[in-house]
Amino acid sequence: MPLVRYRKVVILGYRSVGKTSLAHQFVKGEFLEGYDPTVENTYSKIVTLGKDEFHLHLVDTAGQDEYSILPYSFIIGVHGYVLVYSVTSLHSFQVIESLYQKLHEGHGKTRLPVVLVGNKADLSPDREVQAVEGKKLAESWGATFMESSARETQLTQGIFTKVIQEIARVENSYGQE
Ligand code: GDP
């Protein structure tokens, strides 16, 4: 019998970077052009990785900026985070840095399972953030970095598979301390 583990993952980032589009692509396998702004939405999906099954509960948030106060529900009982910026918006990248600091403090400065995502990579001609900058930021947190496009099913699946693996990686690193 496979073990089914529950994982709660919150998607955070500035508005309009593609949080809803990524969640929708992941769960429904399609890209929605001009989707409505999100209030807050949750999605569930069973993900199988090797012998294990994960019940992934995704919280798609309304979007934050550098002044946002993160509610407890984004901290307590959350296993991992997908932090999204758009490669076409330097401001959205700057917001991510301040969001991470707030999460890190909210979790008592422990190591966090995070996947940093530079979305809208299909709009590369309008790029304001280079991949190497995203990579550097993620490395400074000990996190994983990926560029993606919510238009691409495979790339999007990869993000959520990765966050499940990151959660396991951080849990295991605590087990060894
Ligand atoms: P959210 O506010 O962060 O949830 O952003 P949305 O998912 O609502 O996306 C904002 C806009 O960007 C919408 O018009 C989407 O269709 C578009 N969008 C989202 N992701 C991508 C992407 O990867 N590539 C392109 N070209 N457009 C995207």
Side-chain angles (χ1 to χ4, degrees), residues 106-150:
H107 280 275
K109 304 201 169 170
T110 54
R111 179 140 163 246
L112 294 179
V114 167
V115 176
L116 175 65
V117 175
N119 192 41
K120 306 199 186 182
D122 56 296
L123 300 179
S124 226
D126 302 324
R127 192 181 267 278
E128 291 185 1
V129 186
Q130 299 303 321
V132 64
E133 297 174 77
K135 190 163 178 274
K136 228 165 64 186
L137 184 62
E139 273 173 10
S140 74
W141 306 333
T144 297
F145 170 70
M146 303 174 77
E147 283 201 344
S148 71
S149 164

Side-chain angles (χ1 to χ4, degrees), residues 13-22 31-38 60-62 119-123 148-151:
Y14 193 54
R15 63 179 171 267
S16 215
V17 294
K19 298 180 297 300
T20 302
S21 302
L22 288 169
F31 177 69
L32 287 181
E33 208 77 52
Y35 200 71
D36 284 345
T38 319
D60 173 24
T61 63
N119 192 41
K120 306 199 186 182
D122 56 296
L123 300 179
S148 71
S149 164
R151 291 178 176 275

Side-chain angles (χ1 to χ4, degrees), residues 76-106:
I76 308 294
V78 177
H79 298 96
Y81 297 91
V82 175
L83 300 187
V84 187
Y85 66 92
S86 166
V87 301
T88 62
S89 161
L90 179 60
H91 183 65
S92 72
F93 184 64
Q94 290 161 343
V95 165
I96 286 295
E97 291 208 57
S98 79
L99 285 179
Y100 177 84
Q101 292 313 329
K102 287 176 197 183
L103 289 176
H104 195 221
E105 276 169 30

